[in-house]
Amino acid sequence: MLITRRNTLRLGAAAAGSLAMPRLAFGQAGRPSITIAVQKIVNSNTLDVLREQSNVGERVFFGSIWESLIGRNLRGQLEAQPMLATEWKRIDDQTVELKLREGVRFHNGDEMTAEDVAFTFSRERMFGDTEPKNRTTIKAFEAIPTPRAGKELPPEVPAVARRAWPDLARVDIVDKYTVRFVNSTPDVTLEGRLLRYGSDIMSRRGWEDSASYLDWARKPVTTGPYKVERFVPDTELLLVSHDDYWGGLPPLASIRFIEVPEVASRVNGLLSGEYQFACDIPPDLIGEVESNAGFEVQGGTVLNHRLTVFDKNHAQLADPRVRRAMTHAVDRQAIVDSLWAGRTVVPAGLQWPYYDDMFHADWTVPEYNPELAISLLKEAGYKGDTIPYRLLNNYYTNQNATAQILVEMWKSVGLNVQIESKENWAQIMERGETRAIRDWSNSAPFNDPVSSIVNQHGPNGQQQQIGEWTNAEMNELCYFLETSLDRPARRKAFRRMLEICEREDPAYSVLHQNATFTAKSRAITWQASPAFAMDFGPGNFAV
């Protein structure tokens, strides 16, 4: 018999039979320990939310290790809810005051106070020598930083900090359990910034007791229901219960995330009982997993879109007509139908309906129009020269298959795109003559376009920080969107930003909304979140 991925899974399923109960180890207080097979634990080999800004990082960080003052309801629709702060109020257009939850214990046993919150947002931990109200692009992310002996921050940390908090001036301590976030400009999104990825609270003493930044970043002291016991980069992450967790006793004694790059190995390990969860299941294998009555697959679309991203400095992409041609050559619905079995959608560009009145329902991705693409290439004088496409092996679900389809679609209109396989993100980002097209995904951590189009493509978005793309009008609009209090004017500015980034001077091309699927034993009661994050907090796990 030909050994294919699907046949391998059938063999695994046949060997497993109908497992009535998952194979679990039980530890302290009779609580089980679980193993989760993932494609990747983190990309940066650290557990720092300001260094590891990724989908895979979100999975291991939130619901387990890191927590913010204002949280997202992982068991609902990601709506804002009290977390480490119990309440908050606006003092003025530039200031938010928060009351901290009393009795919250860090993993080292210390109580969280306003001192820890202020330190979390300090220059020493977050901002370095960067200044608020300065939209100068901070160059970063073109290589994995060399570990430092002391506490000097990797350049990526202040770069992300100013991306998330471009105008934060300071955090004032009002009393032991009260803080005020003071911005240097008006900002209607301050509450959203407080719940976004990267605004999570850490122990000041945990930082001070660490010998170096890297030592701390591989075992951060935080408030989540699980704490880091062991982290072996590229291999495993072992979390153990934080028994003094403010939200109640965690339901698991430990959680072990283990890297298993091949999807067939992840699924077969699940079916054999080696793993209790297997992540990043492609849609075409969901039926195979669920053909065994003892297993199910949970998940669906998340607030994240898959993109292809352009480097306009590449000789063949300098003319925006070539990039526009690439966007019109792609039949996005065909990709959704063929690779995702209709389990996701083609969205209205880089936006989400939960933007409410900022959402432009009549906006669309560039139409699939091969004739227009051919005409644009002719106008641009494109002669068929090679356009490199840097590809990371199936970091995203269906990434390789999507890339192969894209290359064929581009070829059909006369574009000569060549895939170059890379081993890691540093190789993908590295500046050079072969950097032209790459894959990416963009999230919206709160319900305003500032959280996505500005955060990812603005002056300190990743594209501009690594020198791929910039546009002067776009950058002016970003500042307006971040500081204006006029919602109709902000909405108009956002639409103009979509026109620039997706139509006139393409920075990216949205392919489809992302979706994530997790396989598990039916005997385990657990509910997947509408996010990459995996919630194993009190009340969301039982056997």
Side-chain angles (χ1 to χ4, degrees):
M1 178 176 64
L2 177 65
I3 301 299
T4 65
R5 181 176 72 173
R6 190 174 295 269
N7 286 334
T8 301
L9 294 178
R10 287 197 180 107
L11 290 171
S18 296
L19 296 178
M21 288 290 290
R23 186 189 303 167
L24 293 171
F26 287 84
Q28 49 190 341
R31 289 177 291 169
S33 294
I34 62 171
T35 298
I36 303 172
V38 300
Q39 182 265 347
K40 189 71 178 170
I41 297 172
V42 291
N43 296 315
S44 65
N45 288 340
T46 76
L47 304 176
D48 179 3
V49 292
L50 287 174
R51 179 65 189 87
E52 181 67 31
Q53 294 267 305
S54 69
N55 302 338
V56 294
E58 178 181 336
R59 176 167 52 208
V60 301
F61 288 167
F62 305 120
S64 294
I65 307 174
W66 287 94
E67 295 182 315
S68 51
L69 297 172
I70 303 175
R72 298 181 302 164
N73 182 8
L74 294 178
R75 300 175 198 177
Q77 295 303 313
L78 304 182
E79 63 273 16
Q81 64 179 15
M83 188 169 268
L84 298 181
T86 56
E87 59 184 278
W88 51 91
K89 65 180 179 180
R90 279 278 179 157
I91 303 300
D92 54 41
D93 292 335
Q94 298 175 220
T95 311
V96 174
E97 182 177 284
L98 300 99
K99 295 291 184 181
L100 304 184
R101 188 178 299 277
E102 298 184 24
V104 173
R105 294 288 170 182
F106 285 112
H107 297 158
N108 61 3
D110 293 350
E111 184 185 16
M112 180 195 72
T113 69
E115 291 282 349
D116 297 291
V117 175
F119 181 77
T120 295
F121 291 86
S122 67
R123 288 187 176 277
E124 183 178 353
R125 152 60 183 152
M126 185 177 279
F127 294 112
D129 59 3
T130 65
E131 297 293 338
K133 294 184 67 175
N134 183 351
R135 291 308 195 275
T136 302
T137 300
I138 303 169
K139 299 297 183 183
F141 290 99
E142 293 192 43
I144 295 177
T146 302
R148 290 155 166 76
K151 298 289 179 62
E152 181 185 354
L153 296 174
E156 287 74 13
V157 170
V160 169
R162 281 301 175 203
R163 183 187 301 169
W165 291 93
D167 299 323
L168 184 66
R170 64 185 188 275
V171 177
D172 292 339
I173 297 174
V174 178
D175 58 40
K176 186 177 181 181
Y177 299 113
T178 310
V179 293
R180 284 184 178 176
F181 282 70
V182 182
N183 220 45
S184 59
T185 63
D187 190 343
V188 298
T189 71
L190 289 177
E191 293 85 353
R193 295 183 188 278
L194 282 163
L195 65 75
R196 63 151 291 121
Y197 192 151
S199 295
D200 308 278
I201 307 305
M202 54 176 280
S203 162
R204 179 171 189 163
R205 188 169 72 86
W207 171 273
E208 292 172 345
D209 287 350
S210 297
S212 68
Y213 166 82
L214 189 60
D215 287 334
W216 171 83
R218 289 186 171 172
K219 198 171 185 178
V221 178
T222 58
T223 63
Y226 300 92
K227 54 188 176 182
V228 180
E229 176 72 13
R230 181 173 68 250
F231 175 43
V232 182
D234 301 318
T235 305
E236 70 168 347
L237 169 64
L238 178 63
L239 307 178
V240 297
S241 172
H242 174 36
D243 289 356
D244 290 330
Y245 179 56
W246 63 268
L249 187 68
L252 295 167
S254 68
I255 304 170
R256 179 177 177 240
F257 292 94
I258 182 170
E259 285 196 10
V260 185
E262 294 299 325
V263 65
S265 298
R266 293 197 295 275
V267 173
N268 282 332
L270 172 79
L271 298 176
S272 68
E274 184 178 1
Y275 317 129
Q276 284 70 55
F277 290 81
C279 297
D280 303 315
I281 304 301
D284 68 308
L285 293 184
I286 292 176
E288 293 290 326
V289 173
E290 293 188 335
S291 66
N292 185 308
F295 297 90
E296 66 174 348
V297 178
Q298 291 191 13
T301 55
V302 294
L303 292 174
N304 179 276
H305 292 339
R306 277 276 286 110
L307 322 175
T308 51
V309 184
F310 305 118
D311 185 339
K312 65 188 288 185
N313 300 298
H314 190 274
Q316 304 308 316
L317 300 182
D319 191 321
R321 289 173 294 189
V322 176
R323 284 174 274 135
R324 288 174 58 200
M326 300 191 84
T327 70
H328 288 295
V330 175
D331 186 344
R332 296 162 181 80
Q333 191 59 50
I335 293 173
V336 167
D337 292 342
S338 62
L339 297 182
W340 290 88
R343 292 177 182 264
T344 188
V345 296
V346 178
L350 193 59
Q351 54 170 347
W352 290 262
Y354 97 135
Y355 285 175
D356 297 327
D357 62 323
M358 294 294 287
F359 179 67
H360 291 269
D362 62 334
W363 185 259
T364 63
V365 294
E367 65 171 333
Y368 173 52
N369 189 333
E371 292 77 17
L372 177 57
I374 291 169
S375 175
L376 287 166
L377 292 175
K378 184 176 180 180
E379 290 176 18
Y382 173 70
K383 303 299 184 183
D385 292 322
T386 300
I387 302 174
Y389 179 179
R390 292 180 178 176
L391 185 67
L392 194 60
N393 182 34
N394 275 337
Y395 173 81
Y396 299 109
T397 299
N398 281 329
Q399 184 176 7
N400 289 4
T402 301
Q404 291 164 0
I405 291 174
L406 288 172
V407 167
E408 290 303 312
M409 289 178 175
W410 288 325
K411 182 180 179 181
S412 70
V413 300
L415 285 156
N416 179 17
V417 179
Q418 299 294 324
I419 290 176
E420 295 185 355
S421 297
K422 301 297 180 182
E423 295 180 357
N424 54 54
W425 278 107
Q427 293 177 3
I428 296 287
M429 303 291 196
E430 184 180 11
R431 189 190 297 261
E433 294 182 358
T434 63
R435 192 177 72 178
I437 308 171
R438 66 178 173 94
D439 292 323
W440 200 21
S441 71
N442 285 181
S443 293
F446 58 92
N447 63 340
D448 189 277
V450 160
S451 72
S452 184
I453 198 167
V454 177
N455 183 68
Q456 289 132 353
H457 305 282
N460 273 307
Q462 187 187 86
Q463 271 210 285
Q464 297 202 44
Q465 286 185 342
I466 70 172
E468 277 182 329
W469 181 92
T470 189
N471 181 286
E473 184 184 358
M474 165 68 174
N475 289 351
E476 291 176 3
L477 290 166
C478 287
Y479 182 77
F480 178 80
L481 200 69
E482 289 186 306
T483 59
S484 173
L485 305 178
D486 184 336
R487 289 194 71 85
R490 293 182 75 248
R491 188 175 191 276
K492 183 178 178 180
F494 174 43
R495 189 177 186 94
R496 177 62 187 144
M497 293 160 77
L498 289 172
E499 291 172 349
I500 293 169
C501 293
E502 300 187 6
R503 301 281 173 83
E504 293 181 8
D505 184 21
Y508 58 84
S509 178
V510 174
L511 297 177
H512 58 78
Q513 187 169 356
N514 216 341
T516 184
F517 300 100
T518 302
K520 70 173 188 68
S521 166
R522 291 186 187 274
I524 292 175
T525 300
W526 176 83
Q527 183 60 51
S529 302
F532 291 106
M534 297 186 76
D535 175 15
F536 291 102
N540 199 38
F541 186 95
V543 179

